[in-house]
Amino acid sequence: MAQWHSGPVGAGAASDEPPTTARGSGRDTRQRRAILTALGQTERFRSAQEIHAAIRQSGEKIGLATVYRSLKMLSDADEVDVVRDEAGEQLYRRCAASRHHHHVVCVSCGTAVEVESLPVERWAARVGEAHGYSDITHSLEVFGTCARCR
Amino acid sequence: MAQWHSGPVGAGAASDEPPTTARGSGRDTRQRRAILTALGQTERFRSAQEIHAAIRQSGEKIGLATVYRSLKMLSDADEVDVVRDEAGEQLYRRCAASRHHHHVVCVSCGTAVEVESLPVERWAARVGEAHGYSDITHSLEVFGTCARCR
DNA sequence: GTAATTGCAAAGGATTTGCTCTGGT
DNA sequence: ACCAGAGCAAATCCTTTGCAATTAC
């Protein structure tokens, strides 16, 4: 119940290796690989359930809880970005940038592009402090309809 | 399941009358008045459950579903602003401004101040369009610890 | 009188968790 | 061997809904 926000949602991690490599995130299991592969196959933000369904359709057998647990680990490790759709559902996507950034997300298909803006970052910090707040963070996402969905 | 964002969360409505007046939002019932009164008593963002508890503690009898339904109507009518905390729970607050605006929210107590920024609005529109998206909207909230909670 | 509102309680839906089993190292 | 990780089902938790009983107008 009403626990307050403690940090910005979303960040990212760079990746040179094939998306099927697990790296620092725990053991190298078949399921973990399947999830990383699935994440690497699209630039769309998808829900845990969609990702789970996609993996199953590819023939892999995997439990929903495993998908949730893995996505949690990956997001905690900043290896995937997370946004919430209007319904409050969490959506995941693998990001290229490792630095702080935001997204322009298609409201129709979830396809997103990464963007950054120093001016906005500064604006948030300045406004927060100007009102007497400290430890300023912010959440920001831009939504719209992408060219393909128009 | 993954329904995409369709509009910005939060707006507001002006109010000259006492916060206990219902105005255009449906019938004037005891419960509706209690909710508006509760909303008028704080500038903190609170969950439907917290508001429900607050009303009950004040002696009024009211059902949780009624609180949810009323808050939904009020937010649809832009009479209350809504934000989501980190857990995805929806939090409500009555806002003074009727124009589009954002908030600096205390991560500890939920107290918020309204802010606006044309530069950021423009930035969002420009960036979205620059990437080929149309019908641009955005969600933005600034978080921090307020002076009283420091 | 009539339609909007309320109140429960049940239903929903996303996410988490308990616990045992399996497989990586 | 050891223990992280996987499976599955049950449990959470916020929020919505069905439906009969009320109540505003």
Side-chain angles (χ1 to χ4, degrees):
Chain A
M1 196 181 283
Q3 181 50 55
W4 279 96
H5 194 286
S6 63
V9 176
S15 173
D16 311 287
E17 306 134 289
T20 40
T21 303
R23 278 182 299 167
S25 303
R27 288 184 181 173
D28 179 27
T29 67
R30 172 176 60 74
Q31 294 85 335
R32 183 93 25 117
R33 261 193 308 279
I35 290 173
L36 290 171
T37 297
L39 286 171
Q41 291 174 328
T42 181
E43 52 183 7
R44 293 179 48 214
F45 268 98
R46 293 180 299 176
S47 68
Q49 318 241 10
E50 287 175 314
I51 293 171
H52 174 246
I55 294 174
R56 288 218 151 170
Q57 277 171 37
S58 79
E60 292 275 357
K61 186 173 169 299
I62 188 173
L64 184 54
T66 298
V67 175
Y68 271 107
R69 275 192 280 243
S70 298
L71 288 173
K72 180 95 167 12
M73 297 176 88
L74 288 167
S75 61
D76 284 347
D78 289 324
E79 299 206 17
V80 298
D81 279 7
V82 187
V83 298
R84 271 182 199 280
D85 64 15
E86 199 183 27
E89 192 174 8
Q90 297 188 100
L91 303 155
Y92 308 82
R93 200 195 86 155
R94 189 161 237 244
C95 267
S98 54
R99 296 166 53 193
H100 172 74
H101 63 276
H102 298 287
H103 307 91
V104 180
V105 188
C106 176
V107 299
S108 177
C109 68
T111 296
V113 297
E114 300 170 37
V115 296
E116 55 178 291
S117 172
L118 277 308
V120 176
E121 312 295 322
R122 292 203 216 87
W123 171 85
R126 177 160 39 75
V127 171
E129 281 157 14
H131 287 281
Y133 288 63
S134 54
D135 301 308
I136 308 298
T137 61
H138 62 274
S139 68
L140 165 66
E141 302 299 341
V142 178
F143 297 93
T145 303
C146 76
R148 295 210 70 238
C149 290
R150 201 170 319 155
Chain B
M1 196 181 281
Q3 181 50 56
W4 279 97
H5 195 285
S6 65
V9 176
S15 172
D16 313 286
E17 306 135 290
T20 41
T21 303
R23 277 183 297 169
S25 305
R27 288 183 179 173
D28 179 27
T29 66
R30 171 176 60 73
Q31 295 85 336
R32 184 103 13 127
R33 263 194 306 282
I35 290 172
L36 290 171
T37 297
L39 286 170
Q41 293 174 328
T42 180
E43 51 182 7
R44 294 179 46 215
F45 269 98
R46 291 180 300 177
S47 69
Q49 317 240 11
E50 287 176 314
I51 293 170
H52 175 246
I55 294 174
R56 289 217 148 172
Q57 277 170 37
S58 77
E60 292 275 356
K61 185 174 169 300
I62 188 173
L64 184 54
T66 298
V67 175
Y68 271 107
R69 276 192 282 240
S70 298
L71 288 173
K72 180 101 172 4
M73 297 177 85
L74 288 168
S75 61
D76 284 347
D78 289 325
E79 298 206 19
V80 297
D81 280 7
V82 187
V83 297
R84 271 182 200 279
D85 64 13
E86 198 182 28
E89 191 174 9
Q90 296 187 103
L91 303 156
Y92 309 82
R93 201 196 87 155
R94 189 158 233 246
C95 266
S98 55
R99 296 164 52 192
H100 172 74
H101 62 276
H102 298 286
H103 307 90
V104 179
V105 187
C106 176
V107 297
S108 177
C109 69
T111 296
V113 297
E114 299 170 38
V115 296
E116 54 179 293
S117 172
L118 278 306
V120 176
E121 312 296 322
R122 292 203 215 89
W123 171 84
R126 179 160 38 75
V127 172
E129 282 156 15
H131 286 280
Y133 289 61
S134 54
D135 302 307
I136 308 298
T137 61
H138 62 275
S139 69
L140 165 66
E141 301 299 340
V142 178
F143 296 93
T145 303
C146 75
R148 294 209 69 240
C149 289
R150 203 166 316 154

